[in-house]
Amino acid sequence: MARPTIAAGYPRGFLEFAVSRGANRQTLIERSQIRPDDLENQDNRIPLPSYLALLEAGIELCNEPALSLLFGEAVRLPDISIVGLIGQSFGNAEDGRRQMNRYFRLAVDADDGGTADSVELVRDHGDVWIGATSALYVDHPLLTEAAFARSVCGARAMQASMPGFAHLRFPKAMRFTHKEPSYRAEYDRIFAVPLFFETNMNALCVDESFLNLKLPRTNPYLSEVLSARAEALLQDLDSSKSVSSRVESLLIPVLHTGEANVDMIAEKLALSRQTLFRRLKAEGVTFKTVLDELRHRMALHYLNGKHVSVNETAYLVGFSEPAAFSRAFKRWTGSSPRTVRVKHE
């Protein structure tokens, strides 16, 4: 079972922001069930549901539905996450995209075993879109609006100090997967570009030349120190994950082979078969249920949006026979995989 987390700098920053707007600090803490001690180090990990509860409590207590958006406008990424500090050492936008894909989990970790890039480039009818691919941004618009406001306002602040950047309009347009909010006027004020809601991605449209724009060189020693710290934090993050989530992350690359088994995974984790069984049992799961739930989730992912046939999906999730996959799918959902596929054609 995925346990998404967020760097403590985010809730710490939002807590201070909401209090400055009139919210009661103790009420915010009680409503979110975040321990103040956990916020002292901004690299600590906070359960994402607790942060979302904090956002919702702040919105209610401040009587400001746009509070998450305003938080993104007011508080820069370097002030709340090491990812923002590393971002100041990018050589150009493409280098920044690669670095974000490397370190994005230090800001928000979906803990879903995914290996896809968190930031991707999509070229569509001559336009270049920089898209956020994490499902968390589809599921939680409050995260999306804060992240996009922070990105746009931060980039524009940098743009103002760079003559070579000043002529570029950033962004040219924006897309969101969520519905247009009641506070659309604040979106227009902050972004001041064409906005499209209920689209297929959360993304910024940029000029092609923006991707190769040379950014000011920063202190190389500082960049090395930050990168070393970030790598250590990534290692800590991976080692702190639940055994079941680590099993999932190892299963995903070999799922399509149909040969994923407990002995293979135990060996990769440097555990005996019995120790792996025992640790999974302590988390309330078995190897079989972890594998079964992963197949279920991945099957829905392929059938719902990847234009993958039922037979191809069966292969991708590790079934040698489509009939066996169909039986398993009906057990998971009560429907046939073909019914789900037809709904999305």
Side-chain angles (χ1 to χ4, degrees), residues 115-128:
T115 57
D117 288 347
S118 58
V119 180
E120 67 175 355
L121 293 182
V122 177
R123 287 178 167 80
D124 182 16
H125 296 91
D127 291 325
V128 180

Side-chain angles (χ1 to χ4, degrees), residues 62-120:
C62 294
N63 192 28
E64 175 52 79
L67 194 65
S68 183
L69 180 71
L70 300 178
F71 172 52
E73 177 190 24
V75 179
R76 298 281 74 80
L77 189 57
D79 295 330
I80 58 176
S81 172
I82 189 173
V83 176
L85 295 172
I86 291 174
Q88 294 178 333
S89 64
F90 296 163
N92 55 44
E94 178 55 23
D95 177 45
R97 187 182 73 87
R98 288 193 297 268
Q99 295 278 16
M100 283 295 292
N101 285 330
R102 173 67 180 164
Y103 298 117
F104 177 80
R105 291 190 297 127
L106 294 180
V108 184
D109 177 37
D111 191 32
D112 59 0
T115 57
D117 288 347
S118 58
V119 180
E120 67 175 355

Side-chain angles (χ1 to χ4, degrees), residues 82 85-91 95 99 103 216-231:
I82 189 173
L85 295 172
I86 291 174
Q88 294 178 333
S89 64
F90 296 163
D95 177 45
Q99 295 278 16
Y103 298 117
R217 182 171 175 77
T218 57
N219 185 317
Y221 175 70
L222 178 60
S223 297
E224 290 177 9
V225 170
L226 289 171
S227 294
R229 172 62 175 163
E231 290 296 329

Side-chain angles (χ1 to χ4, degrees), residues 14-314:
F14 182 79
L15 179 66
E16 297 303 324
F17 182 70
V19 169
S20 75
R21 304 274 302 204
N24 180 273
R25 182 184 301 273
Q26 189 58 35
T27 304
L28 288 169
I29 291 171
E30 291 174 357
R31 294 272 291 274
S32 64
Q33 297 185 331
I34 296 174
R35 296 193 317 149
D37 289 351
D38 291 338
L39 301 181
E40 291 183 1
N41 182 345
Q42 74 172 27
D43 292 326
N44 284 343
R45 307 305 303 180
I46 303 297
L48 186 62
S50 296
Y51 178 60
L52 294 170
L54 180 67
L55 293 179
E56 292 168 357
I59 288 169
E60 180 182 333
L61 294 173
C62 294
N63 192 28
E64 175 52 79
L67 194 65
S68 183
L69 180 71
L70 300 178
F71 172 52
E73 177 190 24
V75 179
R76 298 281 74 80
L77 189 57
D79 295 330
I80 58 176
S81 172
I82 189 173
V83 176
L85 295 172
I86 291 174
Q88 294 178 333
S89 64
F90 296 163
N92 55 44
E94 178 55 23
D95 177 45
R97 187 182 73 87
R98 288 193 297 268
Q99 295 278 16
M100 283 295 292
N101 285 330
R102 173 67 180 164
Y103 298 117
F104 177 80
R105 291 190 297 127
L106 294 180
V108 184
D109 177 37
D111 191 32
D112 59 0
T115 57
D117 288 347
S118 58
V119 180
E120 67 175 355
L121 293 182
V122 177
R123 287 178 167 80
D124 182 16
H125 296 91
D127 291 325
V128 180
W129 293 86
I130 302 177
T133 63
S134 174
L136 292 177
Y137 289 111
V138 177
D139 297 337
H140 306 292
L142 294 179
L143 293 181
T144 308
E145 61 185 22
F148 276 47
R150 187 167 291 119
S151 298
V152 169
C153 293
R156 285 175 176 169
M158 182 186 296
Q159 180 179 14
S161 64
M162 295 174 55
F165 196 16
H167 70 286
L168 294 178
R169 186 184 184 194
F170 179 85
K172 296 166 63 178
M174 301 177 70
R175 290 177 178 174
F176 299 99
T177 57
H178 56 266
K179 294 180 180 179
E180 179 178 311
S182 60
Y183 44 94
R184 164 67 186 267
E186 289 288 6
Y187 273 71
D188 290 329
R189 178 186 65 80
I190 293 171
F191 298 124
V193 296
L195 306 174
F196 304 94
F197 295 90
E198 297 185 80
T199 71
N200 65 338
M201 62 177 164
N202 293 300
L204 309 171
C205 183
V206 300
D207 192 281
E208 182 80 39
S209 60
F210 171 82
L211 301 179
N212 297 310
L213 189 69
K214 298 294 183 183
L215 302 179
R217 182 171 175 77
T218 57
N219 185 317
Y221 175 70
L222 178 60
S223 297
E224 290 177 9
V225 170
L226 289 171
S227 294
R229 172 62 175 163
E231 290 296 329
L233 289 172
L234 276 180
Q235 186 172 356
D236 289 345
L237 178 60
D238 287 336
S239 64
S240 68
K241 290 183 181 298
S242 65
V243 175
S244 56
S245 65
R246 293 170 67 191
V247 168
E248 273 199 1
S249 67
L250 292 172
L251 283 171
I252 287 174
V254 299
L255 196 62
H256 70 281
T257 67
E259 298 175 358
N261 59 70
V262 66
D263 293 317
M264 173 196 299
I265 300 303
E267 182 179 354
K268 288 180 179 294
L269 290 171
L271 299 172
S272 70
R273 177 189 179 101
Q274 292 73 22
T275 299
L276 178 56
F277 279 146
R278 186 170 63 250
R279 293 189 180 181
L280 288 172
K281 183 178 180 180
E283 295 179 5
V285 296
T286 65
F287 181 82
K288 182 179 178 181
T289 58
V290 172
L291 177 59
D292 201 49
E293 289 174 7
L294 177 62
R295 283 174 158 174
H296 176 195
R297 190 168 70 248
M298 295 303 293
L300 289 174
H301 172 70
Y302 290 127
L303 293 172
N304 284 339
K306 292 294 184 180
H307 305 294
V308 179
S309 71
V310 171
N311 287 353
E312 289 170 330
T313 299

